[in-house]
Amino acid sequence: MHDSSVTKAQVNEAMRAAANGYPLLIGVTDDPIVLSDVIGCRQSLLFDSQATLKAGKNMVKVLAWYESLGHACRVLDVVRHYDKLDGEGGVK
């Protein structure tokens, strides 16, 4: 039987690739952090690579930190997008 299970390193690498593609939305940290370390984070999530755990054969546990400022930044992104559409006559 072929073992095609995902490794911790593969999950972390996938998150790094996502962060590289969307640096304003996703961050990755390799440092041990706590909640107070993410206060003021403008990204939607900060992926904690040290917290990734392989749990059995088919499960991987991940931890991504979320800070309210990141959510507020995404709301402002939507407002700016609608404002741009409105200026182009796209939203009434």
Side-chain angles (χ1 to χ4, degrees):
M1 178 181 232
H2 186 284
D3 182 16
S4 62
S5 61
V6 176
T7 67
K8 173 183 173 176
Q10 289 171 321
V11 170
N12 286 346
E13 187 52 41
M15 289 305 296
R16 284 185 218 293
N20 285 336
Y22 300 96
L24 297 177
L25 301 178
I26 302 170
V28 175
T29 183
D30 299 316
D31 298 326
I33 61 172
V34 295
L35 178 61
S36 62
D37 294 327
V38 300
I39 293 173
C41 181
R42 300 178 65 86
Q43 295 157 314
S44 295
L45 68 90
L46 181 60
F47 180 77
D48 186 343
S49 68
Q50 285 197 354
T52 305
L53 297 172
K54 180 74 179 203
K57 187 175 181 181
N58 297 316
M59 188 175 296
V60 177
K61 176 188 165 211
V62 297
L63 177 64
W65 294 87
Y66 163 85
E67 211 276 321
S68 296
L69 180 60
H71 178 70
C73 288
R74 300 300 74 79
V75 171
L76 288 173
D77 290 346
V78 170
V79 169
R80 287 184 194 107
H81 180 71
Y82 275 108
D83 183 55
K84 181 180 173 196
L85 288 175
D86 189 41
E88 297 171 358
V91 175
K92 301 289 179 207

